[in-house]
Amino acid sequence: MKNLLIIGGGGHGRVVADCAQACGRWRQIRFLDDRYPELQRAGRWQVVGTSGEWPRFSDGQVDVLVGIGDNASRLGLQRKLEDAGCHLPALVHPRAWVSPDASIGAGSVVFAGGMVNIDAHLGDAVIVNTGATVDHDCILAEGVHLSPGVHLGGNVTIGPRSWLGLGAVVRNGVVIGSDTMIGAGAAVVSDLADGITVVGVPARPVPADD
Ligand SMILES: CC(C)(COP(=O)(O)OP(=O)(O)OC[C@H]1O[C@@H](n2cnc3c(N)ncnc32)[C@H](O)[C@@H]1OP(=O)(O)O)[C@@H](O)C(=O)NCCC(=O)NCCS
């Protein structure tokens, strides 16, 4: 069994650790966090260094995951780790469901109650948070985050680094651009451009500040 190093000991990082422990695939789980040495523990796990110290702790016997919620930061650090030869596993909680005909990229996580249905394809560093569901034939690009309780109908496509807030729902067949923010509780019923923020039912762009 390998060890697992998680970079980022905040709320998301600790859920990643909890999920990893439930999977039972690693002998030891430890954290790196920039609050070290003041921060010695993240949840029930030990913090052993700052995030920049990962080269000192990673070798062939260590898998690495980035436990950072911010999509661009998580994806950027993951790419740096991969370039350095680190292995980033995909993580699926034992109480999640992923169809054998779906695919999940490196460093992606599916937390408890998450579901990924047949022929859905998730890129690298994607988060399917607690109780979120991805229906058939969806395509999620790298760095997408589905917050807890998000539901995607079939054939939804989401561009890189977009973030769907708590409980948002997306109608089947909708295409969402990159770096788009969908507010908590929104209902997305038509395609969305890159880089915008939408809220409400049906989801509408938040007007820019004057
Ligand atoms: C959409 C969002 C990003 C906007 O954040 P913000 O820019 O800080 O916006 P504010 O809180 O200043 O609100 C601006 C306006 O939008 C409204 N608004 C904010 N979020 C909204 C939402 N989800 N649905 C409907 N209206 C919303 C506010 O009521 C406010 O309206 P007003 O100007 O008439 O008073 C944020 O509210 C949100 O929904 N974040 C998702 C959080 C989440 O899901 N976290 C999951 C963690 S795992």
Side-chain angles (χ1 to χ4, degrees):
M1 271 172 127
K2 288 179 164 184
N3 293 333
L4 179 65
L5 187 66
I6 300 173
I7 303 178
H12 176 63
R14 283 179 284 122
V15 182
V16 170
D18 222 13
C19 182
Q21 187 143 331
C23 289
R25 284 163 52 194
W26 292 277
R27 188 174 47 216
Q28 182 190 50
I29 297 170
R30 299 192 299 176
F31 276 96
L32 298 181
D33 189 286
D34 287 341
R35 293 167 289 175
Y36 178 84
E38 286 74 27
L39 187 72
Q40 290 283 323
R41 301 198 71 82
R44 55 188 183 274
W45 302 276
Q46 197 184 358
V47 180
V48 292
T50 60
S51 58
E53 291 182 273
W54 60 264
R56 197 155 70 81
F57 291 95
S58 56
D59 58 36
Q61 290 311 304
V62 178
D63 288 340
V64 186
L65 280 171
V66 184
I68 297 173
D70 177 75
N71 292 341
S73 305
R74 181 177 67 261
L75 185 59
L77 181 52
Q78 171 158 338
R79 292 302 182 223
K80 202 168 157 184
L81 292 163
E82 288 169 337
D83 288 347
C86 294
H87 176 247
L88 286 93
L91 201 58
V92 178
H93 193 280
R95 289 182 182 271
W97 162 254
V98 176
S99 165
D101 294 310
S103 64
I104 297 182
S108 291
V109 294
V110 184
F111 289 157
M115 299 205 180
V116 180
N117 270 342
I118 189 163
D119 293 325
H121 297 290
L122 279 53
D124 295 344
V126 166
I127 301 170
V128 178
N129 221 311
T130 312
T133 66
V134 177
D135 220 312
H136 63 86
D137 300 297
C138 286
I139 298 175
L140 276 56
E142 60 185 13
V144 165
H145 178 184
L146 307 184
S147 296
V150 165
H151 297 300
L152 306 182
N155 283 297
V156 168
T157 300
I158 306 181
R161 299 170 302 277
S162 286
W163 177 25
L164 285 75
L166 291 158
V169 297
V170 183
R171 187 162 83 182
N172 53 299
V174 163
V175 178
I176 295 171
S178 59
D179 300 293
T180 294
M181 170 73 218
I182 295 165
V188 181
V189 297
S190 54
D191 295 355
L192 297 179
D194 297 344
I196 58 170
T197 298
V198 298
V199 296
V201 181
R204 303 269 188 237
V206 173
D209 291 338
D210 294 332

